[in-house]
Amino acid sequence: MTPWLRWFRVRLLGTALSNALVGYWLALERGHVWTEGTLLPLLVITTALYLFGMGHNDYCDRERDRTLYPDRPLPSGAIRAKTARGALISLLLVAATTLALAPFDPLAPGVVVAAILVAIVSYNAFCKDNKLLGPLAMGSARAGLVLLGAAVVNPHALLTVAVPAACLLGFVGLITSYSMLEERGSHWQRRLHHLVAAGWIIVAALAVVREVGPVPVAARILWTGTAAWCFLYAGRPIRRGKAPLTTLRLLLALLLLDAAILVSYDQAIAAWIPGIVFLVVWRPWFDKRSRSPKTSPITPSKPLGEAP
């Protein structure tokens, strides 16, 4: 993997695109009037925000990483700090330019983009180590992507995606809280936090069901599959002393969670094709670095929750 792909953590980009598409397709499903040609700008803006968030996270940590993780792209010199700074500014310009030229009113999406950037920068630069504000900021950034997808369709659609946005905020916040324990927490602390994060799937399902009423059979299957993934499969690495893999697998559950939400609102599963493709082309359990015998079972390369 090239230094740039590692720096931006491109392999998890699909989870951010999936979050934005949830808001977009749910707004359409609720019958809101939209302008043709809005999907591509949404994907471009979401990609730029995601890459900025990941890159800015490592940029803020570059001095600390010189000691703790010297093989990372910035501390190792594979990417110069000046070049990285220019790339981050370029991503912001891409997002702003796309927002200005897109065929929709930029006011509401612009406010949402600004809020997402505030959450990203706050997390990366100020509250990453705060047990309350850190997860809240990261969860808010992900929930903001759902709101962005809806705002691109129609500003009046923001309230219609409030429940899905809240579901993602809670789940990502809990994943971030879990990732904070990967370096300093005990085995039982990690297990407890994993169970709480997985249990949030049940809370999210109940919230959606209460809003939409009886859900289709496909939605029930997806909710059950998402819960099983989180409770059983994602937690396997904890039992084997590999906490970082649990974070990765919980993050991939975002794709299943997005699919379950979409189908619950009578949205076709075809809307989730990007998530399906992403799961097929990348399998984190084949990550050589995660299986390396040189990696300590209790000391991960870096808490991935720092920038989900």
Side-chain angles (χ1 to χ4, degrees), residues 79-301:
I79 299 176
R80 296 169 53 192
K82 183 177 180 180
T83 305
R85 195 161 50 243
L88 294 176
I89 294 174
S90 298
L91 288 169
L92 292 178
L93 291 176
V94 168
T97 303
T98 305
L99 189 63
L101 299 179
F104 51 74
D105 185 352
L107 180 59
V111 172
V112 176
V113 168
I116 292 173
L117 287 174
V118 168
I120 290 173
V121 173
S122 297
Y123 177 82
N124 292 340
F126 306 114
C127 59
K128 182 179 297 182
D129 295 325
N130 188 291
K131 294 181 180 179
L132 175 62
L133 296 181
L136 180 61
M138 187 53 62
S140 298
R142 286 289 187 158
L145 293 179
V146 179
L147 297 176
L148 176 61
V152 163
V153 175
N154 193 311
H156 300 291
L158 288 172
L159 289 179
T160 65
V161 299
V163 170
C167 292
L168 290 172
L169 188 156
F171 188 60
V172 173
L174 289 168
I175 296 176
T176 305
S177 177
Y178 168 84
S179 72
M180 290 179 172
L181 298 173
E182 287 186 354
E183 288 183 321
R184 300 179 294 273
S186 67
H187 174 83
W188 287 106
Q189 283 179 316
R190 290 196 296 270
R191 175 163 289 189
L192 176 61
H193 275 64
H194 159 250
L195 291 176
V196 173
W200 182 259
I201 297 297
I202 298 176
V203 176
L206 292 175
V208 171
V209 169
R210 183 174 181 178
E211 183 185 32
V212 304
V215 297
V217 174
R220 297 177 188 176
I221 294 174
L222 276 169
W223 282 115
T224 304
T226 306
W229 176 294
C230 292
F231 276 110
L232 303 176
Y233 183 68
R236 282 178 57 197
I238 296 182
R239 296 192 294 271
R240 299 181 179 181
K242 296 179 180 179
L245 274 180
T246 298
T247 302
L248 283 168
R249 292 175 179 181
L250 284 172
L251 281 172
L252 287 178
L254 277 172
L255 299 169
L256 294 173
L257 179 58
D258 289 342
I261 290 172
L262 284 171
V263 176
S264 298
Y265 287 80
D266 295 326
Q267 186 62 46
I269 189 62
W272 192 66
I273 287 178
I276 297 175
V277 172
F278 181 72
L279 281 177
V280 170
V281 300
W282 181 66
R283 299 177 176 86
W285 46 92
F286 289 146
D287 192 327
K288 294 182 179 179
R289 291 188 64 193
S290 299
R291 300 192 307 171
S292 172
K294 296 180 180 180
T295 302
S296 169
I298 61 173
T299 306
S301 58

